[in-house]
Amino acid sequence: MLKTKTIAIANQKVGVGKTTTAINLASALGTLDQKVLLVDADPQANASSGLGVETISSKSLLKLFDEHGKTSEQIIQTHSPNLDLIPSSIKLADLEINNKSENVYKLKNALDEIKSNYDYLIIDCSPSLGYISINSFVAADSILIPVQCEYLAMEGLNKLLKTIKEIKANFNKTLDIEGLLITMYDKRLKHNQHIIGELKQYFKDLVFNTIIKRNVSLSEAPSFGTNIFDYKIESEGSDDYLNLSRELLTNRNAMKKTTQILGKNIHQIMDDNNESVTLETPKRKNHLKHFEPFDIKKKNYNKLKGLTKEEVIKSLGLVYNDIHSDTWMYRVSDRATVFRKNFLYLSFVNNQVQNIELRRFRRG
Ligand SMILES: Nc1ncnc2c1ncn2[C@@H]1O[C@H](COP(=O)(O)OP(=O)(O)OP(=O)(O)O)[C@@H](O)[C@H]1O
Ligand SMILES: [Mg+2]
């Protein structure tokens, strides 16, 4: 089994989609059977409230900065499958402002206590490069940087990259950049395409293939205290974040041996502003594209038993998750039930469907 991966979602620019990404990426990874802990490291506590968690809760990230707080005691289960949360509270702001400690390893040490229980730790950072964000960068294996598709998208990126580089040099040698994620893309706006072109030209393969489109359901979901999959599974936002989670999982497998090269590239990008920088990261695979939901009432799933992967693809289309894995997951659209989120899980043994299970994830 791969060891736990900790990803901090950061950009000191306000409102670029950090929290939306943190909630929905963490939830998507959960539905893909990854065990995930979301850490709300922003005093605004938007990730906590966006998942319907009361932030006056006695459990809080604040306690991890306290000598006496036990990490496992700050964790709560969310209604989203395989997703736990360490909530934030407004009191974290005091820590950020009045903090006397210079210990940048506090969060890392606290998270190390429980890390092995998870496949992913996702940290939602605040729009600042203060004490808590620095602690998050030290605790992280990589940083995912959401960039809003708008003019001045790159504004502030240099400062962020410099900070990451300093942390890498002084406190966390293996720190990497997970990728730049373009958010709130609107194809009707001409300049949006232009901005994508510029970001790709400068950052090359560090830009995720998945682009998060502007989608009103993504902005509505948090006020119902839930993620996009509970709120509107048939939305574009839901597709985009599932695609992102699959891309992340694929990269994790494909890039295991390329961190060194990637590190060098980051170094190059941050070291000189030379236009001729060449990036050598392998092309990201995105072999799984878009999947049509299908109608549960018309299908007799037991007929799938014994079919090969090729035959399943013929009858159901491509899978949501990694095609090479032996557990496949299909989204099921079933408007006839009260369940909002249904997935069909197929388990293969020797390239044949052995087990079929319909999992229904209830709303909160
Ligand atoms: N793809 C999207 N489509 C539509 N609205 C979006 C999208 N992504 C984010 N939003 C909305 O934009 C606003 C800012 O998003 P979000 O809170 O995720 O940003 P943030 O970077 O976490 O902000 P902050 O810097 O305050 O922490 C929110 O109202 C959110 O609902
Ligand atoms: Mg936020």
Side-chain angles (χ1 to χ4, degrees):
M1 204 180 105
L2 289 167
K3 72 178 188 56
T4 314
K5 181 153 193 186
T6 305
I7 302 177
I9 302 190
N11 187 340
Q12 76 280 20
K13 219 171 165 188
V14 174
V16 295
K18 293 181 287 295
T19 302
T20 306
T21 300
I23 291 177
N24 294 307
L25 174 63
S27 303
L29 288 167
T31 62
L32 293 177
D33 266 351
Q34 304 293 305
K35 196 92 184 68
V36 187
L37 175 68
L38 176 59
V39 180
D40 188 349
D42 182 354
Q44 297 180 92
N46 293 339
S48 308
S49 61
L51 279 169
V53 172
E54 288 281 344
T55 50
I56 46 166
S57 151
S58 54
K59 295 169 190 278
S60 159
L61 182 75
L62 189 62
K63 299 204 175 147
L64 304 195
F65 288 91
D66 183 336
E67 301 303 335
H68 312 291
K70 216 170 156 224
T71 308
S72 58
E73 287 169 5
Q74 310 313 322
I75 297 175
I76 53 172
Q77 252 188 327
T78 72
H79 61 269
S80 194
N82 296 318
L83 179 61
D84 290 348
L85 171 78
I86 298 185
S88 172
S89 73
I90 189 72
K91 289 191 184 140
L92 262 183
D94 280 346
L95 176 72
E96 183 86 339
I97 297 161
N98 302 318
N99 157 61
K100 303 263 183 321
S101 160
E102 286 178 2
N103 188 352
V104 296
Y105 294 100
K106 276 243 155 126
L107 184 59
K108 177 186 165 45
N109 292 340
L111 294 177
D112 278 350
E113 284 175 27
I114 46 81
K115 215 171 151 164
S116 60
N117 299 330
Y118 297 93
D119 298 305
Y120 282 95
L121 266 51
I122 305 283
I123 309 178
D124 182 27
C125 295
S126 71
S128 95
L129 292 173
Y131 179 65
I132 302 168
S133 289
I134 301 299
N135 259 269
S136 304
F137 292 5
V138 173
D141 296 304
S142 65
I143 316 271
L144 189 158
I145 307 172
V147 180
Q148 187 178 344
C149 201
E150 55 158 16
Y151 283 123
L152 305 179
M154 292 212 236
E155 188 191 47
L157 274 187
N158 257 347
K159 187 171 177 206
L160 175 60
L161 296 173
K162 276 213 173 86
T163 307
I164 295 171
K165 194 183 156 199
E166 269 170 35
I167 302 232
K168 189 175 165 73
N170 297 305
F171 308 111
N172 184 2
K173 287 201 165 39
T174 54
L175 182 64
D176 239 324
I177 291 185
E178 189 66 38
L180 269 73
L181 176 69
I182 299 172
T183 63
M184 296 184 237
Y185 167 67
D186 189 338
K187 65 171 187 284
R188 291 165 304 179
L189 302 175
K190 249 197 192 142
H191 73 276
N192 268 220
Q193 202 53 49
H194 177 73
I195 290 160
I196 291 181
E198 292 219 317
L199 283 167
K200 288 202 167 160
Q201 192 185 350
Y202 194 66
F203 292 104
K204 307 269 187 328
D205 280 347
L206 280 183
V207 180
F208 283 103
N209 286 332
T210 307
I211 290 175
I212 309 297
K213 295 185 271 305
R214 190 172 277 284
N215 178 245
V216 69
S217 302
L218 282 171
S219 58
E220 288 167 353
S223 53
F224 291 88
T226 193
N227 58 43
I228 190 66
F229 311 106
D230 257 342
Y231 179 64
K232 207 167 266 180
I233 184 82
E234 54 289 301
S235 64
E236 275 195 316
S238 148
D239 284 350
D240 287 350
Y241 276 106
L242 265 171
N243 283 340
L244 176 66
S245 65
R246 282 201 337 259
E247 188 173 347
L248 212 86
L249 289 172
T250 308
N251 290 345
R252 187 168 183 183
N253 293 329
M255 306 227 297
K256 260 188 294 194
K257 294 185 197 74
T258 61
T259 20
Q260 262 186 330
I261 305 170
L262 199 63
K264 195 174 99 200
N265 288 334
I266 290 168
H267 185 77
Q268 286 175 337
I269 289 172
M270 289 188 277
D271 232 23
D272 46 48
N273 290 323
N274 189 339
E275 296 291 295
S276 67
V277 160
T278 51
L279 297 172
E280 298 154 20
T281 48
K283 261 253 158 289
R284 291 202 162 118
K285 276 188 242 148
N286 198 9
H287 54 284
L288 304 172
K289 290 254 186 292
H290 189 84
F291 314 106
E292 286 301 314
F294 51 89
D295 190 343
I296 191 171
K297 281 171 278 175
K298 296 193 189 126
K299 302 277 176 188
N300 181 351
Y301 297 117
N302 285 328
K303 280 189 181 160
L304 296 170
K305 219 164 190 165
L307 294 191
T308 63
K309 286 185 175 176
E310 294 71 23
E311 288 166 337
V312 170
I313 288 176
K314 262 189 205 146
S315 66
L316 299 183
L318 281 167
V319 275
Y320 254 130
N321 54 324
D322 188 353
I323 205 165
H324 301 297
S325 98
D326 280 328
T327 308
W328 283 13
M329 182 188 130
Y330 283 94
R331 184 172 72 188
V332 180
S333 158
D334 181 9
R335 294 200 174 80
T337 80
V338 294
F339 298 104
R340 292 302 301 262
K341 197 161 58 169
N342 296 340
F343 289 101
L344 185 72
Y345 284 74
L346 304 178
S347 324
F348 290 89
V349 177
N350 297 329
N351 195 36
Q352 286 193 315
V353 177
Q354 183 85 18
N355 240 317
I356 301 165
E357 190 191 343
L358 187 63
R359 290 201 207 165
R360 302 174 162 205
F361 299 123
R362 252 179 221 278
R363 306 198 72 178

